[in-house]
Amino acid sequence: MSRMVFINLPVKDLKRTIAFYSALGFKFDERFTNDDAAGMIIDDGHSYAMLLTHKHFKNFIKNDIADPSKVTQV
């Protein structure tokens, strides 16, 4: 059985984040990319990092988004 994994990560500036990861050689899946999110391909067809605007990420959580300058997220 094939599985797809999506890791949701909040980002403050989606366009800047896309530019950064694109410069590192990552590609994005247009099926999972819009003004609120970008599906960054880690392993095509299997693993993706979903880069989500804070506004969009808040639709999936009950708590606040962690401030990475103050706490460890991962």
Side-chain angles (χ1 to χ4, degrees), residues 34-49:
N34 57 38
D35 291 337
D36 295 316
M40 185 174 74
I41 301 167
I42 297 172
D43 183 14
D44 198 12
H46 300 286
S47 302
Y48 298 83

Side-chain angles (χ1 to χ4, degrees), residues 5-66:
V5 175
F6 295 86
I7 301 165
N8 294 332
L9 301 171
V11 299
K12 287 186 178 182
D13 186 329
L14 185 60
K15 289 183 181 186
R16 188 172 169 200
T17 303
I18 291 169
F20 173 79
Y21 283 108
S22 293
L24 293 176
F26 285 93
K27 305 291 183 207
F28 293 84
D29 190 323
E30 294 300 320
R31 297 175 299 167
F32 307 120
T33 302
N34 57 38
D35 291 337
D36 295 316
M40 185 174 74
I41 301 167
I42 297 172
D43 183 14
D44 198 12
H46 300 286
S47 302
Y48 298 83
M50 292 302 300
L51 309 172
L52 308 173
T53 62
H54 280 210
K55 180 182 173 187
H56 191 58
F57 188 78
K58 287 180 181 180
N59 292 320
F60 302 101
I61 63 173
K62 294 179 183 175
N63 297 329
D64 294 332
I65 295 173

Side-chain angles (χ1 to χ4, degrees), residues 12 65-73:
K12 287 186 178 182
I65 295 173
D67 180 348
S69 70
K70 296 180 182 178
V71 298
T72 302
Q73 297 182 82

